[in-house]
Amino acid sequence: MYSISKEFGIEYRAFFQPTLYTKYRGEKDKEVFLYMEYVGLSDKMLTSYTKQVVEYIKELDFIEDATHWLDEYDGLFYDYVHMEELGNKYISEKIYKYLFEERREVE
């Protein structure tokens, strides 16, 4: 997508979104986290992978690290990566704000 957009002179933005493994865990988040451990998902493996991705995308000017965008909220995930409706609402509002209110100058 980035290459195609660049070819046509269109600015491309991607967002590495929060997961249960990238944000502060409140009490409700901990309930989901414990269930994910119960079904066999490794906290260490997913946290390590996420940290590697965050480091990698620092070098890319078209991917925004949004993993911290929902830290102030609790109980938005129904598994380690999928959000409830309210979580999707919050993340879409943050993306809108980034794109249209706090937008960096197009390079």
Side-chain angles (χ1 to χ4, degrees):
M1 292 302 299
Y2 172 73
S3 296
I4 292 170
S5 297
K6 189 174 180 179
E7 183 73 26
F8 289 96
I10 301 168
E11 181 183 15
Y12 176 79
R13 290 281 172 220
F15 299 88
F16 188 48
Q17 294 192 35
T19 70
L20 193 57
Y21 293 95
T22 63
K23 68 177 288 297
Y24 166 79
R25 295 185 196 127
E27 287 304 312
K28 292 179 182 177
D29 289 334
K30 287 178 186 174
E31 292 174 17
V32 176
F33 177 74
L34 290 173
Y35 174 75
M36 299 315 293
E37 269 191 338
Y38 174 76
V39 296
L41 287 170
S42 165
D43 180 34
K44 288 181 183 177
M45 178 187 73
L46 293 170
T47 301
S48 173
Y49 167 77
T50 300
K51 286 180 181 177
Q52 290 175 28
V53 172
V54 167
E55 285 303 310
Y56 177 74
I57 67 173
K58 285 180 181 178
E59 300 174 18
L60 304 173
D61 64 354
F62 60 91
I63 301 178
E64 188 67 30
D65 176 11
T67 58
H68 60 283
W69 284 8
L70 298 179
D71 282 353
E72 69 262 29
Y73 303 104
D74 186 21
L76 301 179
F77 291 89
Y78 63 85
D79 66 18
Y80 72 99
V81 70
H82 297 103
M83 288 180 259
E84 302 284 351
E85 185 176 341
L86 190 57
N88 288 317
K89 178 183 181 291
Y90 289 154
I91 200 71
S92 65
E93 288 171 351
K94 299 257 185 183
I95 290 172
Y96 178 88
K97 185 175 182 179
Y98 176 88
L99 291 174
F100 298 106
E101 296 175 10
E102 298 176 355
R103 191 172 190 168
R104 295 182 283 173
E105 292 295 316
V106 178
E107 300 161 348

